[in-house]
């Protein structure tokens, strides 16, 4: 995790960059420049393959969500947060953070010593989401879509493969092994339902198909979310829209922030 504090920023706002599965923190953090130029502090983090494809209680995903909230509220003093999610991995961490937020709200209702609970002012989905994440996808993604050295790949494969095989053999008898990811589509979990949401995608993305992203957009709009879509040209690949077209990306985000979120 890395914090990018904007000097003199007293707006009580921040952005959390929920990086993609297996992504380099250095690459995710490059998006902080967009927010720094807008005068907004940001926190960048990544999600490992293990955190994405192993049972959530066997990883540090919940602890990571708590740390992000503590950093946003205690270190940056944020009362409003924009969630900037990349790919399904970033969405998995975002759903976990939403659950942690709800736990803190409930704690405040029953405890005299209240904790700071920031509001999610808006959500940006970059190259996401697609309907499901199955443990069987992990080994495939590891071997064919990550830049790790082969020795590191073999070590990670040893973590992922047993659970992938077990989940495949038991599915559908035990249901979706990562069923909680459905919280992203649940208006009770992903609330408030009238939250502004921006979806950034392209038809050249072979991991997160544009048709699946558009179906999610339609669902959220039907639930009451204020959905804005921005489609990049087909030569803009998965989670590379900002790198390929920084000016277009910045214009889409700043226009949405001003019109829908009210961050001017």
């Amino acid at each position: 995790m890395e914090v990018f504090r904007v000097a003199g920023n007293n707006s009580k706002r921040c952005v959390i960059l929920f990086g993609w599965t297996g992504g380099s923190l250095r690459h995710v953090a490059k998006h902080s420049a967009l927010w720094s130029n807008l005068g907004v502090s940001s926190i960048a983090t990544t999600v490992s393959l293990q955190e994405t494809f192993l049972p959530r209680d066997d990883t540090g995903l919940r602890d990571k969500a708590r740390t992000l909230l503590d950093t946003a509220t205690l270190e940056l003093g944020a009362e409003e947060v924009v969630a900037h999610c990349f790919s399904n991995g970033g969405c998995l961490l975002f759903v976990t953070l939403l659950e942690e937020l709800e736990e803190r709200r409930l704690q405040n209702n029953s405890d005299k010593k209240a904790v700071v609970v920031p509001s999610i002012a808006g959500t940006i989905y970059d190259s996401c989401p697609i309907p499901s994440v199955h443990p069987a996808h992990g080994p495939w993604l590891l071997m064919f879509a990550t830049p790790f050295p082969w020795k590191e790949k073999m070590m990670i494969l040893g973590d992922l493969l047993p659970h992938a095989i077990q989940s495949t053999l038991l599915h559908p008898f035990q249901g979706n092994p990562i069923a909680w990811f459905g919280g992203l589509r649940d208006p009770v979990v992903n609330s408030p339902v009238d939250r502004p949401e921006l979806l950034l995608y392209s038809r050249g993305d072979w991991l997160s198909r544009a048709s699946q992203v558009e179906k999610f957009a339609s669902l959220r709009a039907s639930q009451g979310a204020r959905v804005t879509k921005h489609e990049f040209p087909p030569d803009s690949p998965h989670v590379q829209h900002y790198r390929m077209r920084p000016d277009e990306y910045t214009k889409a985000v700043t226009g949405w922030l001003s019109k829908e979120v009210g961050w001017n």
Side-chain angles (χ1 to χ4, degrees), residues 134-136 163-172 177:
H134 193 283
H163 183 59
I165 293 172
Q166 181 187 39
S167 299
T168 303
L169 291 176
L170 294 176
H171 185 76

Side-chain angles (χ1 to χ4, degrees), residues 175-236:
N176 184 356
I178 309 185
W180 54 269
F181 183 54
L184 201 64
R185 291 164 171 75
D186 186 338
V188 175
V189 177
N190 197 355
S191 63
V193 292
D194 62 346
R195 180 194 304 136
E197 299 183 343
L198 173 64
L199 289 94
L200 307 169
Y201 64 101
S202 83
R203 301 198 182 275
D205 188 338
W206 59 276
L207 279 175
S208 297
R209 299 294 186 185
S211 59
Q212 296 174 325
V213 174
E214 289 169 344
K215 285 181 179 178
F216 175 79
S218 297
L219 173 65
R220 291 294 290 165
S222 71
Q223 294 172 344
R226 307 200 310 273
V227 174
T228 302
K229 296 183 293 182
H230 184 89
E231 181 178 340
F232 291 91
D235 63 346
S236 191

Side-chain angles (χ1 to χ4, degrees), residues 29-255:
K30 287 180 179 179
H31 295 79
S32 68
L34 183 158
W35 296 104
S36 295
N37 290 336
L38 296 175
V40 181
S41 299
S42 59
I43 309 167
T45 190
T46 58
V47 179
S48 70
L49 283 146
Q50 291 93 330
E51 288 170 334
T52 302
F53 295 107
L54 293 179
R56 185 165 49 166
D57 291 335
D58 294 346
T59 71
L61 206 61
R62 293 186 191 276
D63 289 337
K64 184 172 287 188
R66 296 184 185 107
T67 300
L68 286 169
L69 280 176
D70 289 342
T71 303
T73 55
L74 302 178
E75 184 173 340
L76 296 179
E79 296 178 1
E80 290 186 327
V81 173
V82 163
H84 195 159
C85 308
F86 298 88
S87 195
N88 267 19
C91 290
L92 287 167
L93 181 53
F94 175 51
V95 172
T96 305
L97 183 136
L98 287 174
E99 294 176 357
E100 178 61 24
L101 273 174
E102 182 59 23
E103 287 186 15
R104 295 189 180 196
R105 291 190 189 99
L106 293 174
Q107 178 183 337
N108 282 350
N109 291 336
S110 60
D111 193 342
K112 294 181 179 179
K113 188 177 180 181
V115 295
V116 178
V117 180
S119 63
I120 303 297
T123 309
I124 299 174
Y125 297 99
D126 183 323
S127 308
C128 58
I130 59 175
S132 65
V133 179
H134 193 283
H137 300 161
W140 179 89
L141 186 65
L142 169 68
M143 301 308 292
F144 299 106
T146 61
F148 301 129
W150 278 102
K151 184 177 180 180
E152 186 175 353
K153 284 188 177 185
M154 291 300 102
M155 293 176 62
I156 298 174
L157 186 64
D159 292 335
L160 300 181
L161 195 57
H163 183 59
I165 293 172
Q166 181 187 39
S167 299
T168 303
L169 291 176
L170 294 176
H171 185 76
F173 304 110
Q174 290 188 349
N176 184 356
I178 309 185
W180 54 269
F181 183 54
L184 201 64
R185 291 164 171 75
D186 186 338
V188 175
V189 177
N190 197 355
S191 63
V193 292
D194 62 346
R195 180 194 304 136
E197 299 183 343
L198 173 64
L199 289 94
L200 307 169
Y201 64 101
S202 83
R203 301 198 182 275
D205 188 338
W206 59 276
L207 279 175
S208 297
R209 299 294 186 185
S211 59
Q212 296 174 325
V213 174
E214 289 169 344
K215 285 181 179 178
F216 175 79
S218 297
L219 173 65
R220 291 294 290 165
S222 71
Q223 294 172 344
R226 307 200 310 273
V227 174
T228 302
K229 296 183 293 182
H230 184 89
E231 181 178 340
F232 291 91
D235 63 346
S236 191
H238 189 70
V239 299
Q240 298 297 314
H241 307 313
Y242 182 62
R243 182 179 68 85
M244 297 289 290
R245 289 179 168 78
D247 293 339
E248 181 180 350
Y249 196 104
T250 300
K251 184 178 180 180
V253 170
T254 53

Side-chain angles (χ1 to χ4, degrees), residues 5 65 163 183 217 260:
R5 185 191 297 271
H163 183 59
E260 299 295 340

